[in-house]
Amino acid sequence: MDLQSGQNAPVGGGLVRLALTCDPANQAPSLDVSAFLLDAAGRVAGDGGFVFYGNPNDPAGAVKLDPVAASFQVDLARIPTGIERVVIALSIDSGVAGLRAFSQFRALRLSATSPNVDLQFPVASAGMVESALIMGELYLRNGAWKLRALGQGFAGGLAPLARNYGVDVSEATAPPPAPVPATPPAAPSRIDLRKREPISLEKPSKGFGQIEINLNWKRGTVKRGLFGGTSGGIDLDLGCMIEHADGNKDVIQALGERFGYLDGPPFAKLLGDDRTGESTSGETLLINGDRWTAFKRVLIYAFIYEGVPNWAAADAVVTVKAPGSAELVVALDEHSTGKGMCAIALLENDGGRIRVTKLVEYYAAHPQMDEAYRFGFQWQAGRK
């Protein structure tokens, strides 16, 4: 069974073998594999809960690393009480000259096998700028262990990945440092997201600050003969559905004049309403990143308020900007005629990080999109 990012499947009990492979295979020695045994708070219980080339077994003998085969043997029956997750990660050995990002691999794969289980999670790595990758995790739910496929990129390599789970990787245990080039490559200032391949933004030491989400599009004119007529201007509206950590939910959009508040709940605010698409700034939604812990998820969407539902003519683009992070770009490069709603991106609170996933899925109207993402709002007709 092949899994996609976010999917999960039961793994039964007893022994499970988790193997990591890459293409090209001859680059496998340049990758470090590691596992983190995490408690309910998402932290390792002592350095023994970090299994890697310098510590190939946890104290209970539940997780054993074979560094040559890049695989783990996990005895689920021996995992200590209080451990709820086993995270499996890949990182690029910083001592390998010229190898800095997963985009230099064609593909990566996590396999989970046992006598009754054969799960495969392929990850297309083209365009990845990260040097660490959380491939998946075993997690305990209602007394049963499951495997969740993740494929979540993590900038900075093994050391910041380990610190994220409470492990201080010292110089003695970290991979040997790579030679410093005379001119180190600059961090990317822009990342074009690919559909269903999430990227996580790490929380800066001073917090996320103000997160800016901008929608821009072209009013345009459709030429006669190509689509059977000439259209007028298209009015796109930017909006979002919010679910907070405490279960409260809200909607921000110009329709119904639900512009929101930045300094109080829902900690999100829509700035104005561009009725033409000719504004150089388009429409902008702000999120109070300093209150990101209050958020569970934010669904970013747009809908065509006026004009024929012709998304190809709108040529819309959404950008997500957070201080200290690369600008994330979501192009509406897949189109649907006749459906006026587009779920563009999903922002999720992932242990304090902002996990951004490109969606670009089209729906007839608000209720259908709401049902797909299970927010549970009641909708009625409105104007602005």
Side-chain angles (χ1 to χ4, degrees):
M1 175 181 175
D2 276 5
L3 299 178
Q4 296 182 349
S5 179
Q7 280 188 306
N8 60 69
V11 294
L15 296 177
V16 178
R17 182 176 183 269
L18 301 174
L20 298 122
T21 56
C22 66
D23 180 14
N26 62 5
Q27 285 282 31
S30 62
L31 294 176
D32 290 318
V33 295
S34 53
F36 301 87
L37 284 72
L38 307 180
D39 58 20
R43 311 289 282 181
V44 297
D47 290 342
F50 174 35
V51 180
F52 69 118
Y53 63 89
N55 179 45
N57 304 291
D58 74 296
V63 180
K64 298 180 180 180
L65 168 65
D66 181 345
V68 177
S71 66
F72 294 93
Q73 178 177 282
V74 182
D75 188 344
L76 297 173
R78 300 181 66 176
I79 291 181
T81 301
I83 299 300
E84 297 190 359
R85 289 192 292 154
V86 179
V87 172
I88 305 300
L90 272 178
S91 56
I92 293 176
D93 185 344
S94 60
V96 179
L99 191 61
R100 297 189 173 277
F102 282 113
S103 59
Q104 294 169 271
F105 294 87
R106 287 188 290 272
L108 304 162
R109 179 180 294 267
L110 171 65
S111 303
T113 55
S114 72
N116 300 312
V117 172
D118 184 3
L119 301 173
Q120 306 290 326
F121 175 42
V123 178
S125 52
M128 283 189 176
V129 299
E130 297 86 358
S131 55
L133 186 64
I134 301 172
M135 293 290 290
E137 63 180 13
L138 295 168
Y139 67 99
L140 186 62
R141 184 64 53 83
N142 297 325
W145 286 94
K146 295 183 177 183
L147 175 70
R148 178 184 288 117
L150 291 174
Q152 179 182 328
F154 203 109
L158 177 60
L161 173 60
R163 284 195 295 270
N164 178 68
Y165 296 122
V167 179
D168 184 11
V169 180
S170 67
E171 293 181 1
T173 58
V180 179
T183 305
S189 59
R190 166 185 167 131
I191 300 175
D192 292 290
L193 295 190
R194 295 177 298 177
K195 194 167 182 176
R196 300 290 179 180
E197 295 186 12
I199 283 183
S200 287
L201 302 180
E202 291 301 312
K203 184 178 179 180
S205 58
K206 295 183 179 180
F208 283 114
Q210 184 169 280
I211 303 165
E212 179 180 311
I213 300 163
N214 177 260
L215 167 70
N216 226 321
W217 74 96
K218 297 178 181 178
R219 179 173 181 172
T221 300
V222 180
K223 295 181 179 179
R224 185 176 299 277
L226 183 59
F227 294 97
T230 302
S231 69
I234 298 175
D235 177 19
L236 292 188
D237 273 7
L238 176 66
C240 71
M241 298 182 191
I242 298 171
E243 181 177 3
H244 285 110
D246 62 6
N248 287 325
K249 300 174 184 178
D250 212 326
V251 174
I252 305 297
Q253 61 180 29
L255 186 63
E257 298 184 349
R258 301 185 63 89
F259 288 95
Y261 302 93
L262 200 59
D263 297 325
F267 304 112
K269 183 176 182 179
L270 181 65
L271 303 181
D273 177 25
D274 179 13
R275 300 294 299 271
T276 66
E278 295 178 338
S279 168
T280 57
S281 59
E283 292 195 2
T284 298
L285 172 71
L286 301 180
I287 293 176
N288 187 340
D290 292 331
R291 300 301 300 267
W292 182 243
T293 55
F295 288 83
K296 180 178 180 180
R297 58 177 178 149
V298 180
L299 176 65
I300 306 299
Y301 62 83
F303 60 95
I304 298 179
Y305 181 72
E306 289 181 348
V308 177
N310 188 340
W311 293 95
D315 194 20
V317 174
V318 164
T319 57
V320 180
K321 301 178 183 178
S325 301
E327 177 181 295
L328 304 182
V329 180
V330 182
L332 275 64
D333 46 12
E334 295 182 16
H335 307 117
S336 176
T337 301
K339 294 183 178 180
M341 297 286 306
C342 180
I344 298 173
L346 185 64
L347 279 60
E348 298 171 281
N349 189 330
D350 179 25
R353 298 178 293 271
I354 302 176
R355 187 185 191 201
V356 185
T357 305
K358 175 179 178 178
L359 304 175
V360 189
E361 300 284 355
Y362 293 90
Y363 300 91
H366 288 76
Q368 289 77 14
M369 185 178 67
D370 185 336
E371 181 180 0
Y373 292 93
R374 299 182 180 180
F375 277 86
F377 293 109
Q378 298 297 319
W379 299 93
Q380 62 184 16
R383 297 190 63 83
K384 59 179 180 177

